């Protein structure tokens, strides 16, 4: 079983990476319990891929390092995604990575368990989890863990953060273990065929036809 952490932290050391590591430290052993070996944890540092991400939008295809990162994410049994907060939302680097990923493989995150997390200088930005991150990954058709984790500067070393990490990571582990048990050899849920990539909006009934179908017959002419 593979757990991938996507960190958009820019500094070294990074509180964003630290939060991702702490979440993975709880989720990895819980996902495979009672087996003694924890899930295999891989980390994708977006800071190291910034140039390749930018070139993807101009070249139309990812460079080898970025393609490898896309493959890690697509093959993961679960994701932990962590971004610093910039201008009350996720960072541009974070959003660009997932934009490029979905352009390359629109179903890369379909049905995948994702734990959302963020770091910032003030607790005032904690709603970024609900107004930015959760809608983004719902749009990408991921299964977003109910509990997100936001860590402000004052949270490090304070009471409460450990409990939030434990709860969110345990929820992610439960989803990973549950979906793994339902999957067949191909990675698809047992008894189900892979989802169609056909867009449900491709076939649109013209508005005039819909309106005609709803038209109410007029009054009958007088005899």
């Amino acid at each position: 079983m593979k757990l991938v952490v996507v960190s958009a932290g820019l500094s070294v050391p990074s509180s964003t990476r630290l939060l991702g590591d702490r979440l993975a430290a709880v989720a990895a052993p819980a996902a495979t319990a009672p087996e003694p070996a924890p899930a295999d944890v891989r980390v994708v540092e977006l800071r190291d891929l910034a140039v390749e991400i930018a070139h993807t939008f101009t070249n139309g295809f990812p460079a080898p390092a970025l393609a490898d990162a896309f493959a890690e994410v697509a093959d993961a049994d679960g994701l932990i995604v962590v971004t610093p907060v910039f201008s009350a939302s996720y960072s541009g680097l974070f959003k660009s990575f997932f934009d490029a990923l979905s352009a390359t493989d629109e179903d890369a995150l379909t049905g995948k368990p994702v734990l959302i997390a963020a770091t910032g200088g003030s607790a005032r930005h904690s709603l970024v989890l609900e107004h930015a991150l959760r809608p983004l990954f719902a749009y990408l058709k991921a299964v977003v863990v109910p509990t997100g984790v936001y860590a402000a500067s004052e949270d490090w070393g304070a009471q409460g953060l450990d409990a939030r990490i434990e709860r969110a990571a345990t929820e992610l582990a439960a989803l990973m273990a549950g979906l793994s048990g339902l999957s067949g050899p191909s990675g698809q849920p047992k008894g189900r065929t892979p989802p169609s990539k056909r867009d449900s909006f491709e076939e649109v009934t013209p508005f005039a036809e819909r309106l005609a179908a709803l038209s109410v017959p007029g009054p009958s002419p007088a005899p």
Side-chain angles (χ1 to χ4, degrees):
M1 187 176 291
K2 186 198 300 186
L3 174 63
V4 173
V5 179
V6 177
S7 170
L10 299 178
S11 60
V12 180
S14 165
S15 61
T16 301
R17 170 65 187 273
L18 176 60
L19 180 57
D21 288 345
R22 290 184 62 177
L23 288 163
V26 177
T32 58
E35 297 296 328
D40 182 21
V41 178
R42 310 287 179 87
V43 178
V44 175
E45 285 276 13
L46 300 188
R47 179 186 65 246
D48 300 331
L49 300 170
V51 174
E52 286 85 351
I53 292 171
H55 285 170
T56 298
F57 291 103
T58 56
N59 297 340
F61 59 90
L66 184 57
D68 289 344
F70 286 167
E72 292 279 16
V73 170
D75 293 341
D77 296 291
L79 289 179
I80 295 172
V81 298
V82 196
T83 178
V85 174
F86 291 152
S87 301
S89 189
Y90 37 63
S91 73
L93 179 61
F94 182 87
K95 178 62 160 56
S96 295
F97 175 80
F98 287 103
D99 283 344
L101 171 63
S102 61
T104 303
D105 180 0
E106 62 182 10
D107 291 321
L109 298 184
T110 298
K112 195 178 301 294
V114 174
L115 192 167
I116 54 174
T119 58
S122 168
R124 292 177 298 174
H125 295 305
S126 60
L127 286 177
V128 68
L129 297 172
E130 304 303 324
H131 75 69
L133 286 166
R134 194 174 298 277
L136 170 63
F137 288 95
Y139 175 79
L140 294 173
K141 297 174 282 190
V143 180
V144 185
V145 170
T147 302
V149 180
Y150 177 82
S153 298
E154 62 266 27
D155 288 328
W156 298 102
Q159 292 183 348
L161 180 59
D162 287 345
R164 297 200 304 274
I165 288 174
E166 182 77 23
R167 178 175 177 175
T170 301
E171 291 174 353
L172 175 65
L175 279 174
M176 291 172 62
L179 292 178
S180 176
L182 292 173
S183 297
S186 64
Q188 295 295 331
K190 293 178 180 178
R192 295 180 58 185
T193 56
S196 171
K197 292 188 178 182
R198 185 176 184 179
D199 191 336
S200 59
F201 291 97
E202 285 180 351
E203 296 183 4
V204 179
T205 303
F207 179 71
E209 292 184 19
R210 289 182 176 273
L211 189 60
L214 295 173
S215 297
V216 178
S220 300

